Amino acid sequence: MQSLTKQCLSIIKTRPQESHKGTFGRTVLVGGNAQFGGAIMMSTEACVNAGSGLTTVVTDSKNHQALHARMPEAMTVDWQDKEVCDAVLASADVILMGPGLGEDEKSRELLTYVLQEQTEDQLLVIDGSAITLVAQNNEQLPYPKQTIFTPHQMEWQRLSGIKIADQTEEMNQAIQQKLEATIVLKSHRTEIYSNTGCFYNPLGNPGMATGGTGDTLAGIIAGFLAQFPHSVDTINAAVYLHSYIADQIAHDNYVVLPTKISQALPYWMKKFEI
Amino acid sequence: MQSLTKQCLSIIKTRPQESHKGTFGRTVLVGGNAQFGGAIMMSTEACVNAGSGLTTVVTDSKNHQALHARMPEAMTVDWQDKEVCDAVLASADVILMGPGLGEDEKSRELLTYVLQEQTEDQLLVIDGSAITLVAQNNEQLPYPKQTIFTPHQMEWQRLSGIKIADQTEEMNQAIQQKLEATIVLKSHRTEIYSNTGCFYNPLGNPGMATGGTGDTLAGIIAGFLAQFPHSVDTINAAVYLHSYIADQIAHDNYVVLPTKISQALPYWMKKFEI
Amino acid sequence: MQSLTKQCLSIIKTRPQESHKGTFGRTVLVGGNAQFGGAIMMSTEACVNAGSGLTTVVTDSKNHQALHARMPEAMTVDWQDKEVCDAVLASADVILMGPGLGEDEKSRELLTYVLQEQTEDQLLVIDGSAITLVAQNNEQLPYPKQTIFTPHQMEWQRLSGIKIADQTEEMNQAIQQKLEATIVLKSHRTEIYSNTGCFYNPLGNPGMATGGTGDTLAGIIAGFLAQFPHSVDTINAAVYLHSYIADQIAHDNYVVLPTKISQALPYWMKKFEI
Amino acid sequence: MQSLTKQCLSIIKTRPQESHKGTFGRTVLVGGNAQFGGAIMMSTEACVNAGSGLTTVVTDSKNHQALHARMPEAMTVDWQDKEVCDAVLASADVILMGPGLGEDEKSRELLTYVLQEQTEDQLLVIDGSAITLVAQNNEQLPYPKQTIFTPHQMEWQRLSGIKIADQTEEMNQAIQQKLEATIVLKSHRTEIYSNTGCFYNPLGNPGMATGGTGDTLAGIIAGFLAQFPHSVDTINAAVYLHSYIADQIAHDNYVVLPTKISQALPYWMKKFEI
């Protein structure tokens, strides 16, 4: 298992002069029920600040106004509006499914729907309660190699069947190879298991142990995949930068509010641009 | 009665490296009717910035969008949704009841409900109109030693029966000992009466005399109790730090907006971390 | 007509140590229909930052969430809820009526209602469309000496009957003496006509010529009257400080957004505190 | 085709001392359906910060609260409320039509309605989906010389019939002369085609390739036309300053959030004021 270093940020290349919104990808975020609207808002704030060309949020209509108030740069779609959802999902380069999705019947339906709609050109990041739903319903992934799971340890237990105490590198890797999906296993030292290698993130701090840190990471991963190569390198960079920025904030802050990480993304991406 | 000093902030310890959201507690805030939604928002902003691991707000659904727009880090629950409320309250380490709760029939029901749901492992902070409701209805506390009241002088009169003019240290202490709950008696020099001693806060300034200062203090107390020891020391630290930060802000500001205190919490907690 | 100088800010006294929210007054703002919600929000932002002890906004329920999202320090009341309105108005030290009120039937009703409710201890600031409504309906003021009108020149024409071209000091003063109310006549050099003298404000800049500047001034006047003496001196200080801050902002800004004036109030009030 | 230089900003003149809101124009923005509310919010934020005297937004009522929460300086009108829309449009100096308008039946109706209402004294900026609607329905412009289109290349293809690959200066100019309207053709180097000359903007950077950049430019154009001369010089200045500010932000930011451009307008307009 290889430790990530600053070197992994070298995927953040100077953007080509002749470019437009489409150059940097279309990201669709699906999540945010009536109770957990904040989660999808934090993912959105992360995704837009991470540089996704166009960001659309499929969420309960209850969340649209707060989303717009915080982040007018993102578009909103009512997840009841199947016709618009179809069109929006079809246009996506990357889909992030799960932040604040919940675990009820509607959530389940949405998960099944997104899995059906995913095409072979699209990446799918599965986060939060969507991971639990995949595990509970034993959902089959249409394109496992294009799928990224971002579980914390308990969600990984549900998905992999490995109890937290038994989540060793070997066990995790074995299940990853069966799943074929990429696994971003979040803990105080996050590990990435992929078809092309295993990595761990040496950064991070306990000020990040607050609600929304994971939603923010998921948003950065999605935003990075929208504009950078579809490889584990891009996921590694997202994981590393998320913690790197949090460590900078933690120099002066006992708690690291997730939205502060998002707001600092443009600055730090510029610093590391090559 | 012992004066608090900076020393009381020594409960703000460096967080353990191996930690996660659960390590720093689950706080549930109950309040915010249709008129007083701002109060629970200010408590929430304080609680999240104070470092509560997970913060959930049980409030009128009318307040959810403004809450998310200000503070996506907190989750929201409609207080009409009994099933979700049950689950959320059961998971709480600390419950804060009262900011913007109001005093109508619905408020009364909610208070009774929370008192019924409280378990022996949970702390309960009772603030604002919930104090008046306890007094009016002569509510019995299920776990008085785990209960903290945060009255201003008029609310304390209602709860203790002691008129403001007669609220001497001796009188207050006598009633506190009968109640067994901890009392944070707010005035321009806040006093804390507990089963293990009485304290007064030498800090604070008249710029704090504006709506929301108390709601913010209640949120800090709840957030501190979620992550620090369940003792009067933690309450003292919350009271002291709230005023300490307000005094810093007052150097340059005639009025101290409560939300500015909350926003400065991560910075000052880091400064005092030991 | 006397020119205001910095000297007029000397009403901003150091607050007494032993004080509480009530010490600095209760302000009730009435306005903000479905179209003009932003106006009452800007008045509220000004009033809270100006130091009103408690601020309550009586407005269309449509505006409550945006108000809370911007300014949780203020309480909200649905103007359809007569019972709560009654209680809130009865508790007021100062009432500000008009920002974003509109001119329809409901607005007219509200104006009549507020004029009926005003008590001899309360000041009433009448701004914006409420001035036009008073003029149109020839409303009788219950307590003219406790009433402050804040018209721009066209509104003053409607109220006074003096055409803009004829609004000389003498003409204005003559009508003011008939009305007995205080007149804050807004223009690029605002004039104040009162029972105890006439003043003009030498400050101000054309960057202030944008929607919301007047709503903000009205909020500062109300917030100042809530905590400082009920005299023209306090109104003069509000007018002067509003322009003084705007002039500071204009050093670096072509346009002076009204909300920036409000946000700078605590800082500049501290600077001028004596 | 002439390259724009800093010189083009010389239309930003020191404002006359004796002025009021009306001096700097009334801008009415029409757009923002249920899905694309963020677009019209970003145009509004740009327009107000650019110095429009009064800004009113005709939009789906769903968007009013988020608009007020971000920008209370703007007024809102429900686009279903024909009576108020009539009055508001009649009072406009400049109308901006299109950001987030959508392309459904309601959008089409609104476009037709606005084209009918436009008077010979009003400028009309047509942006986003409104351009597509004009093309699809072959709408006749009542006052082509007072109309400004702000298409990106695909929208220009729809409007002009020239395929992106064939959009040469000569072809574009030929169609512009037939249309008689001014064309702001957005790409990584925006070009302006007008009845009095063709210009291109040498500024801009790939960090601007994110959703909302065009909505922001449209808002600045509208706000500039409201207060500065009704000529292509004013449009040129808007285009140039939008990119100039974005280039400043890009020194320290990998992505340039459109709302940051808007927030920096008052500062940079002051710098360039002559």
Side-chain angles (χ1 to χ4, degrees):
Chain A
M1 180 162 285
Q2 194 183 328
S3 174
L4 299 177
T5 68
K6 252 186 218 185
Q7 183 54 32
C8 78
L9 299 178
S10 63
I11 58 136
I12 305 175
K13 302 247 185 305
T14 297
R15 290 182 157 193
Q17 276 301 312
E18 295 207 24
S19 56
H20 57 87
K21 291 179 288 197
T23 313
F24 305 114
R26 290 163 193 270
T27 315
V28 174
L29 285 63
V30 185
N33 66 8
Q35 180 178 352
F36 299 117
I40 200 73
M41 290 171 210
M42 290 188 282
S43 296
T44 304
E45 199 152 340
C47 185
V48 171
N49 278 287
S52 161
L54 276 169
T55 305
T56 305
V57 190
V58 176
T59 186
D60 193 297
S61 67
K62 189 193 156 194
N63 297 317
H64 293 196
Q65 287 307 289
L67 248 164
H68 281 323
R70 287 195 72 82
M71 215 66 221
E73 285 85 355
M75 288 165 287
T76 56
V77 174
D78 184 351
W79 64 18
Q80 311 275 15
D81 186 341
K82 180 132 181 351
E83 198 183 342
V84 182
C85 287
D86 282 0
V88 157
L89 282 174
S91 77
D93 296 303
V94 178
I95 301 165
L96 164 59
M97 172 97 204
L101 180 66
E103 301 183 9
D104 63 13
E105 197 43 42
K106 178 68 190 163
S107 317
R108 228 168 254 129
E109 268 173 45
L110 268 164
L111 175 65
T112 308
Y113 165 66
V114 167
L115 291 174
Q116 277 167 355
E117 297 291 313
Q118 190 189 359
T119 67
E120 56 182 348
D121 299 326
Q122 296 175 328
L123 296 186
L124 175 61
V125 182
I126 301 182
D127 181 62
S129 44
I131 299 171
T132 302
L133 289 172
V134 167
Q136 280 173 353
N137 304 310
N138 203 13
E139 294 276 1
Q140 293 309 301
L141 303 176
Y143 305 100
K145 290 178 184 168
Q146 293 158 230
T147 305
I148 299 99
F149 286 102
T150 55
H152 53 54
Q153 293 169 302
M154 176 52 71
E155 287 162 347
W156 179 232
Q157 173 176 320
R158 288 179 203 132
L159 185 67
S160 66
I162 318 171
K163 289 199 177 142
I164 294 182
D166 303 334
Q167 292 176 2
T168 61
E169 184 182 340
E170 290 68 28
M171 289 292 282
N172 294 338
Q173 204 169 347
I175 299 288
Q176 184 277 324
Q177 291 188 352
K178 227 166 58 183
L179 285 170
E180 295 183 298
T182 301
I183 310 300
V184 176
L185 178 52
K186 298 180 290 192
S187 72
H188 83 286
R189 289 287 174 259
T190 292
E191 297 169 344
I192 299 106
Y193 295 89
S194 81
N195 296 319
T196 54
C198 303
F199 308 86
Y200 84 93
N201 174 25
L203 305 185
N205 65 78
M208 299 165 74
T210 189
T213 299
D215 305 309
T216 297
L217 174 58
I220 300 176
I221 292 174
F224 269 32
L225 288 170
Q227 69 191 296
F228 300 128
H230 286 190
S231 77
V232 74
D233 294 344
T234 296
I235 296 165
N236 287 344
V239 169
Y240 188 89
L241 187 61
H242 175 256
S243 287
Y244 182 91
I245 295 176
D247 287 355
Q248 301 299 316
I249 295 172
H251 288 155
D252 282 332
N253 289 278
Y254 190 77
V255 187
V256 178
L257 286 211
T259 48
K260 286 194 194 163
I261 299 177
S262 294
Q263 288 153 15
L265 278 164
Y267 176 81
W268 287 105
M269 289 178 76
K270 186 69 184 182
K271 282 276 183 219
F272 287 115
E273 176 193 277
I274 62 169
Chain B
M1 179 161 288
Q2 193 183 331
S3 175
L4 298 177
T5 67
K6 253 185 219 186
Q7 183 54 32
C8 78
L9 299 178
S10 63
I11 57 135
I12 305 175
K13 301 249 186 304
T14 297
R15 289 182 159 193
Q17 276 301 313
E18 295 207 24
S19 56
H20 56 88
K21 292 179 289 197
T23 314
F24 306 113
R26 291 164 191 269
T27 316
V28 174
L29 284 62
V30 186
N33 67 7
Q35 180 179 352
F36 299 118
I40 199 75
M41 290 171 210
M42 290 189 282
S43 296
T44 304
E45 200 152 338
C47 185
V48 170
N49 278 286
S52 161
L54 275 169
T55 305
T56 304
V57 190
V58 176
T59 185
D60 192 296
S61 66
K62 189 193 155 194
N63 298 317
H64 292 196
Q65 286 307 289
L67 247 164
H68 280 324
R70 286 196 73 83
M71 215 68 221
E73 286 84 355
M75 287 166 286
T76 58
V77 175
D78 184 351
W79 64 18
Q80 311 275 16
D81 187 341
K82 181 135 182 347
E83 197 182 341
V84 182
C85 287
D86 283 359
V88 157
L89 281 174
S91 76
D93 297 302
V94 178
I95 301 166
L96 164 58
M97 173 98 204
L101 179 66
E103 301 184 8
D104 63 12
E105 197 42 44
K106 177 68 191 163
S107 318
R108 227 167 253 128
E109 269 173 42
L110 268 164
L111 175 66
T112 308
Y113 165 65
V114 168
L115 291 175
Q116 276 167 357
E117 297 290 313
Q118 189 189 359
T119 67
E120 58 183 347
D121 299 325
Q122 296 176 328
L123 295 187
L124 175 61
V125 183
I126 301 183
D127 181 63
S129 44
I131 300 171
T132 302
L133 289 172
V134 167
Q136 280 173 352
N137 304 310
N138 204 12
E139 295 276 0
Q140 293 310 302
L141 303 176
Y143 304 100
K145 290 178 184 167
Q146 292 159 232
T147 305
I148 300 99
F149 286 101
T150 56
H152 54 54
Q153 292 169 304
M154 176 52 71
E155 287 163 347
W156 179 232
Q157 174 176 318
R158 289 180 200 131
L159 185 66
S160 67
I162 319 172
K163 289 200 177 142
I164 293 182
D166 303 333
Q167 292 175 3
T168 60
E169 184 181 339
E170 289 69 28
M171 289 292 283
N172 295 339
Q173 205 169 347
I175 299 289
Q176 184 277 323
Q177 292 190 350
K178 225 166 59 183
L179 285 172
E180 294 184 298
T182 301
I183 310 299
V184 176
L185 178 53
K186 299 180 290 193
S187 73
H188 82 286
R189 290 286 174 259
T190 292
E191 297 170 344
I192 298 106
Y193 295 89
S194 82
N195 297 319
T196 55
C198 303
F199 309 86
Y200 85 92
N201 174 26
L203 305 185
N205 64 79
M208 301 165 75
T210 190
T213 299
D215 305 309
T216 296
L217 174 59
I220 300 176
I221 292 174
F224 270 31
L225 287 170
Q227 68 191 297
F228 300 127
H230 287 191
S231 78
V232 73
D233 294 343
T234 296
I235 296 166
N236 286 344
V239 169
Y240 188 89
L241 186 61
H242 175 256
S243 287
Y244 181 91
I245 295 175
D247 287 355
Q248 300 299 317
I249 295 172
H251 287 154
D252 282 332
N253 290 279
Y254 190 78
V255 186
V256 179
L257 286 211
T259 48
K260 287 195 195 163
I261 300 176
S262 294
Q263 287 153 16
L265 278 164
Y267 175 82
W268 287 105
M269 289 178 76
K270 186 69 185 182
K271 283 275 182 219
F272 286 115
E273 176 193 279
I274 62 169
Chain C
M1 180 162 284
Q2 194 183 329
S3 174
L4 298 177
T5 67
K6 251 184 220 186
Q7 182 55 32
C8 78
L9 299 177
S10 62
I11 57 136
I12 305 175
K13 301 248 185 305
T14 297
R15 290 182 157 191
Q17 277 300 313
E18 295 207 23
S19 56
H20 57 88
K21 293 180 288 197
T23 314
F24 305 113
R26 291 163 192 270
T27 315
V28 174
L29 284 63
V30 186
N33 66 8
Q35 181 179 351
F36 299 117
I40 200 74
M41 290 171 209
M42 290 188 282
S43 296
T44 304
E45 199 152 339
C47 184
V48 170
N49 278 287
S52 162
L54 275 169
T55 305
T56 304
V57 190
V58 175
T59 186
D60 193 296
S61 66
K62 189 193 156 194
N63 298 315
H64 293 195
Q65 286 307 288
L67 247 164
H68 281 323
R70 285 197 73 83
M71 215 68 222
E73 285 85 356
M75 288 165 286
T76 57
V77 174
D78 184 351
W79 62 18
Q80 311 276 15
D81 187 342
K82 180 133 184 348
E83 197 182 343
V84 181
C85 287
D86 283 359
V88 158
L89 282 174
S91 76
D93 296 302
V94 178
I95 300 166
L96 164 58
M97 173 99 205
L101 179 67
E103 301 182 9
D104 63 13
E105 197 43 44
K106 176 70 191 164
S107 317
R108 228 168 253 129
E109 269 173 43
L110 268 164
L111 176 66
T112 308
Y113 165 66
V114 167
L115 291 174
Q116 276 167 357
E117 297 290 313
Q118 189 188 358
T119 67
E120 56 182 348
D121 299 325
Q122 296 176 328
L123 295 187
L124 175 61
V125 182
I126 300 183
D127 181 63
S129 44
I131 299 172
T132 301
L133 290 171
V134 167
Q136 281 173 352
N137 304 311
N138 203 13
E139 295 274 1
Q140 294 309 301
L141 303 175
Y143 305 100
K145 292 178 184 168
Q146 293 159 230
T147 304
I148 298 100
F149 287 102
T150 55
H152 53 56
Q153 292 168 304
M154 177 53 70
E155 287 163 347
W156 179 231
Q157 174 176 319
R158 289 180 200 129
L159 185 67
S160 67
I162 317 171
K163 289 200 177 140
I164 294 182
D166 303 333
Q167 292 176 3
T168 61
E169 184 182 340
E170 290 69 29
M171 289 291 283
N172 294 338
Q173 205 169 346
I175 299 289
Q176 184 277 324
Q177 292 189 351
K178 227 167 58 184
L179 285 171
E180 293 184 297
T182 301
I183 310 300
V184 176
L185 178 53
K186 298 180 291 193
S187 72
H188 83 286
R189 289 287 174 260
T190 292
E191 297 170 343
I192 298 106
Y193 295 89
S194 81
N195 296 319
T196 55
C198 303
F199 308 87
Y200 85 93
N201 174 26
L203 304 186
N205 65 79
M208 299 165 76
T210 189
T213 299
D215 306 309
T216 296
L217 174 58
I220 301 176
I221 291 174
F224 270 32
L225 288 170
Q227 69 192 297
F228 300 127
H230 286 191
S231 78
V232 74
D233 295 343
T234 295
I235 296 165
N236 287 343
V239 169
Y240 188 88
L241 186 61
H242 175 255
S243 288
Y244 182 91
I245 295 176
D247 287 354
Q248 301 299 317
I249 294 172
H251 287 154
D252 281 332
N253 290 278
Y254 190 78
V255 187
V256 179
L257 286 211
T259 47
K260 286 194 195 163
I261 300 176
S262 294
Q263 287 153 16
L265 277 164
Y267 175 81
W268 287 105
M269 289 178 75
K270 186 69 185 184
K271 283 275 182 219
F272 287 114
E273 175 192 279
I274 63 169
Chain D
M1 181 162 283
Q2 195 183 328
S3 174
L4 298 177
T5 67
K6 252 185 217 183
Q7 182 56 33
C8 78
L9 299 178
S10 63
I11 58 135
I12 305 175
K13 302 247 185 306
T14 297
R15 291 182 156 191
Q17 276 301 312
E18 295 207 24
S19 56
H20 57 87
K21 291 179 288 197
T23 313
F24 305 113
R26 291 162 192 269
T27 315
V28 174
L29 284 63
V30 185
N33 66 9
Q35 180 179 352
F36 299 117
I40 200 73
M41 290 170 209
M42 290 188 282
S43 296
T44 305
E45 199 152 339
C47 184
V48 171
N49 278 287
S52 162
L54 275 170
T55 305
T56 305
V57 190
V58 175
T59 186
D60 193 296
S61 67
K62 188 193 157 194
N63 298 316
H64 293 195
Q65 286 308 287
L67 247 164
H68 280 324
R70 286 197 73 82
M71 215 67 221
E73 285 85 355
M75 288 165 285
T76 57
V77 174
D78 184 351
W79 63 18
Q80 311 275 15
D81 187 342
K82 180 132 183 350
E83 197 182 342
V84 182
C85 287
D86 283 359
V88 157
L89 282 173
S91 77
D93 297 302
V94 178
I95 301 166
L96 164 58
M97 172 97 206
L101 180 66
E103 302 183 9
D104 63 12
E105 197 43 43
K106 178 67 190 163
S107 317
R108 228 169 253 128
E109 267 172 44
L110 268 164
L111 176 66
T112 308
Y113 164 67
V114 167
L115 291 174
Q116 277 167 357
E117 297 290 313
Q118 189 188 359
T119 67
E120 56 182 348
D121 299 325
Q122 295 176 328
L123 295 186
L124 176 60
V125 183
I126 301 183
D127 181 63
S129 44
I131 299 171
T132 301
L133 290 171
V134 167
Q136 281 173 353
N137 304 310
N138 203 13
E139 295 276 2
Q140 294 309 301
L141 302 177
Y143 305 101
K145 292 179 184 167
Q146 292 158 231
T147 304
I148 299 99
F149 287 102
T150 55
H152 54 54
Q153 293 169 302
M154 176 52 73
E155 287 161 347
W156 179 232
Q157 174 176 319
R158 288 179 202 131
L159 185 66
S160 67
I162 318 170
K163 290 198 176 140
I164 293 182
D166 302 334
Q167 292 176 2
T168 61
E169 184 182 341
E170 290 69 29
M171 289 292 282
N172 295 338
Q173 205 169 347
I175 299 290
Q176 183 277 323
Q177 292 189 352
K178 228 167 56 185
L179 285 171
E180 295 184 296
T182 301
I183 311 298
V184 177
L185 177 53
K186 299 181 290 192
S187 73
H188 82 285
R189 289 288 174 260
T190 292
E191 297 169 345
I192 298 105
Y193 295 89
S194 82
N195 296 318
T196 55
C198 303
F199 308 87
Y200 84 93
N201 174 26
L203 305 185
N205 65 79
M208 299 165 76
T210 189
T213 299
D215 307 309
T216 296
L217 175 58
I220 301 176
I221 291 173
F224 270 32
L225 288 170
Q227 69 192 297
F228 299 128
H230 287 191
S231 78
V232 73
D233 294 343
T234 296
I235 296 166
N236 287 344
V239 169
Y240 188 88
L241 186 61
H242 174 256
S243 287
Y244 182 91
I245 294 175
D247 287 355
Q248 301 299 317
I249 295 172
H251 287 155
D252 282 331
N253 290 278
Y254 190 78
V255 187
V256 178
L257 285 211
T259 48
K260 286 194 195 163
I261 299 177
S262 294
Q263 288 153 15
L265 277 164
Y267 175 81
W268 287 105
M269 289 178 75
K270 187 68 184 183
K271 282 275 183 220
F272 287 115
E273 175 191 278
I274 62 169

